[in-house]
Amino acid sequence: MAEPADIAALYLSESARLRRKVARMVGDQATAADLVHDIFLRLWRRAEPLDGNDAAYLTRSARNAAIDHLRAERIRSDFVKGTVPEQHYAGLPSPHAVLEAREGLTQVDTAIRGLPERTRHIFLLNRVHGSSYPDIAAAMGISPSAVEKHMARALSALRRAVEES
């Protein structure tokens, strides 16, 4: 394993040169410093001892790190170009929109609370807890068609509540 003192000495002698080389490739001093730091961190974690051709190894590592960084930046840029501005930031809703949404939720909540207890329980098991109709039927001791009827009732009541708003 590489000795920490050897790596520290290598860092002191080579890091400035590597930062300059990487900065020319990526166009940013801070990114270059991060990439060079990562190279030395990987070298420090490496199990094999240094082989004497350290400068060449570090130069190749710096070049590869810069290329990987540029490739990742291009992929991110291509991804961002394929999106529309609305996908980046939806913006804050207006106070009026917030009020309307809260009123709509209050109406839906009131409609759910107004359902008969068994219908409400079946609706919540399905829509909130993700239980299937057969699972609900087995748990409640009723037929799957009875679960369907309760769900139809619940959805109809909620649809009316939304349409009334």
Side-chain angles (χ1 to χ4, degrees):
M1 184 166 183
E3 293 295 322
D6 295 339
I7 294 172
L10 192 59
Y11 181 82
L12 291 173
S13 67
E14 296 291 329
S15 63
R17 178 183 67 83
L18 294 172
R19 279 194 308 271
R20 285 190 303 273
K21 177 178 182 57
V22 173
R24 281 191 306 270
M25 293 178 75
V26 300
D28 181 48
Q29 292 289 333
T31 301
D34 287 344
L35 292 173
V36 170
H37 176 78
D38 289 345
I39 291 166
F40 278 96
L41 184 61
R42 281 194 304 272
L43 181 63
W44 181 65
R45 290 181 178 163
R46 195 172 86 162
E48 305 93 38
L50 299 175
D51 64 1
N53 199 1
D54 307 329
Y57 173 81
L58 290 171
T59 300
R60 174 57 85 177
S61 296
R63 182 180 179 280
N64 291 345
I67 289 169
D68 289 345
H69 173 78
L70 292 170
R71 186 177 298 132
E73 284 295 311
R74 190 190 75 237
I75 290 169
R76 277 191 286 277
S77 175
D78 290 348
F79 176 77
V80 169
K81 286 178 188 174
T83 59
V84 294
E86 291 81 18
Q87 290 174 304
H88 298 279
Y89 177 68
L92 295 174
S94 69
H96 182 70
V98 170
L99 183 61
E100 282 182 346
R102 284 186 181 157
E103 288 175 356
L105 286 174
T106 301
Q107 290 173 338
V108 169
D109 184 54
T110 302
I112 291 172
R113 290 176 191 271
L115 294 171
E117 184 177 346
R118 182 173 242 185
T119 302
R120 180 177 60 247
H121 188 66
I122 290 170
F123 175 80
L124 293 174
L125 282 173
N126 178 255
R127 295 301 168 115
V128 175
H129 299 288
S131 300
S132 67
Y133 288 8
D135 290 343
I136 295 170
M140 297 189 75
I142 58 176
S143 69
S145 65
V147 173
E148 289 175 11
K149 290 175 186 171
H150 283 284
M151 283 299 295
R153 250 186 251 134
L155 293 172
S156 177
L158 292 175
R159 191 174 300 114
R160 279 193 309 273
V162 169
E163 289 172 355
E164 291 173 2
S165 60

